[in-house]
Amino acid sequence: MVSYLDAQSAPLKNTGQIRLHGPEGFEAMRKACQLTARCLDELASIVAPGVATNTIDRFVFEFGADQGALPATLNYRGYTKSSCTSINHVVCHGIPDDKLLREGDIVNIDVTYIVDGWHGDSSRMYPVGEIKRAAERLMEVTHESLMRGIAAVRPGARTGAIGAAIQTYAEAERCSVVRDFCGHGVGQLFHDAPNILHYGTPNEGVELREGMIFTIEPMINLGRPHVKVLADGWTAVTRDRSLTAQYEHTVGVTKDGCEVFTVSPAGLFAPGLKLG
Ligand code: MF3
Ligand code: CO
Ligand code: CO
């Protein structure tokens, strides 16, 4: 049985109960999420052929440090980087290293800053130089999948409505939805209840209530949905090595819909895409 609790008077561990945040929590999340969004905006002019993912990661660390913010991924469950950089067939949790980005790559950069104890979690796709039409289309489909998921958020709907909106659209576009990773409650904890599946039916999952804060972060593949995790224990790749994409927003449920905390101040949430 699912239960909800007042975020202000609850212990800070994931007990499976769902926190309902008030105006103070929403304000704190705006601050954390906007720092993350500004960092991702800056990265649009850094990503280029010949740039190492470690260079991106260092920028993420320093941009945060300048504002007194630490990346949540640093030393998280043994992860030692400030970001995840997932290239081409890497679904998520790609580890920044000395490898250089190449013309035609598509890369997801996922950043979570902790500001005053609150977590702002977002990721975007970046094209590296000129990319193929198939890659551009996958990014378009994935971005639109996220937007349709967000449009399904309102009090009274279930989390399954988000997954259904994403899956219905992505599969109609002949793409597949990764099942092995999901969105998550977020706030003073990095990964909290509930899980937000990116597939399913509208009558499944827990009921959304005003004050809930969570991420939606669909991973969409051009090929089959199956993934495997490499020997490093983190890097998740498509089993069929097909191209994959992901966009992530952090949202808070409002009286009649949701507020997207991680909107790009520069209008660069989907660099390289002409959105219509
Ligand atoms: N930011 C990722 C998410 O969207 C989590 C990364 S955890 C890490 O939930 F350890 F891989 F960095
Ligand atoms: Co997340
Ligand atoms: Co993330």
Side-chain angles (χ1 to χ4, degrees):
M1 197 44 209
V2 52
S3 64
Y4 303 82
L5 51 85
D6 178 1
Q8 285 207 336
S9 54
L12 266 189
K13 60 177 200 283
N14 184 351
T15 57
Q17 289 172 294
I18 295 168
R19 273 162 238 277
L20 301 180
H21 298 272
E24 307 80 7
F26 271 52
E27 189 51 40
M29 285 301 280
R30 269 176 215 125
K31 208 174 151 197
C33 289
Q34 280 302 294
L35 184 65
T36 298
R38 281 171 43 213
C39 174
L40 294 175
D41 281 355
E42 293 294 325
L43 287 172
S45 48
I46 292 173
V47 171
V51 172
T53 47
N54 257 340
T55 302
I56 292 167
D57 193 68
R58 206 171 316 114
F59 177 84
V60 172
F61 180 81
E62 280 162 11
F63 185 88
D66 285 347
Q67 312 290 323
L70 276 178
T73 55
L74 206 53
N75 305 315
Y76 176 79
R77 296 175 184 237
Y79 194 83
T80 60
K81 297 287 176 172
S82 299
S83 60
C84 297
T85 51
S86 303
I87 305 169
N88 296 338
H89 70 294
V90 178
V91 172
C92 63
H93 305 162
I95 306 171
D97 61 15
D98 291 328
K99 231 178 70 201
L100 308 181
L101 293 171
R102 293 164 23 154
E103 179 97 19
D105 285 345
I106 58 171
V107 58
N108 174 279
I109 306 177
D110 192 335
V111 172
T112 306
Y113 283 126
I114 309 174
V115 177
D116 302 330
W118 295 80
H119 295 70
D121 187 5
S122 185
S123 82
R124 306 178 188 168
M125 298 302 299
Y126 299 82
V128 182
E130 285 295 316
I131 61 169
K132 291 207 171 104
R133 176 58 195 149
E136 184 183 57
R137 191 182 83 89
L138 175 64
M139 296 201 302
E140 285 167 358
V141 169
T142 307
H143 177 270
E144 179 64 16
S145 295
L146 170 59
M147 291 308 155
R148 289 186 182 219
I150 290 171
V153 176
R154 58 177 173 78
R158 292 183 176 272
T159 55
I162 301 169
I166 292 168
Q167 182 179 19
T168 304
Y169 174 74
E171 290 181 354
E173 295 293 326
R174 286 163 283 107
C175 294
S176 69
V177 178
V178 170
R179 311 291 204 270
D180 302 68
F181 302 97
C182 54
H184 49 91
V186 64
Q188 289 169 294
L189 291 177
F190 190 5
H191 292 112
D192 201 359
N195 286 334
I196 306 295
L197 305 187
H198 303 117
Y199 59 94
T201 57
N203 59 358
E204 291 174 321
V206 305
E207 189 183 302
L208 300 177
R209 298 216 183 151
E210 185 178 356
M212 286 172 64
I213 297 177
F214 51 82
T215 73
I216 308 177
E217 48 182 298
M219 285 140 274
I220 305 294
N221 300 347
L222 274 186
R224 314 244 317 138
H226 311 101
V227 313
K228 68 174 180 191
V229 175
L230 300 186
D232 60 26
W234 286 105
T235 312
V237 300
T238 53
R239 278 192 174 269
D240 62 7
R241 297 201 127 240
S242 68
L243 213 54
T244 180
Q246 177 180 31
Y247 291 84
E248 175 178 28
H249 268 316
T250 296
V251 307
V253 182
T254 59
K255 204 180 262 316
D256 55 5
C258 71
E259 174 175 346
V260 180
F261 295 126
T262 41
V263 282
S264 162
L268 287 172
F269 186 66
L273 296 190
K274 302 171 281 301
L275 301 171

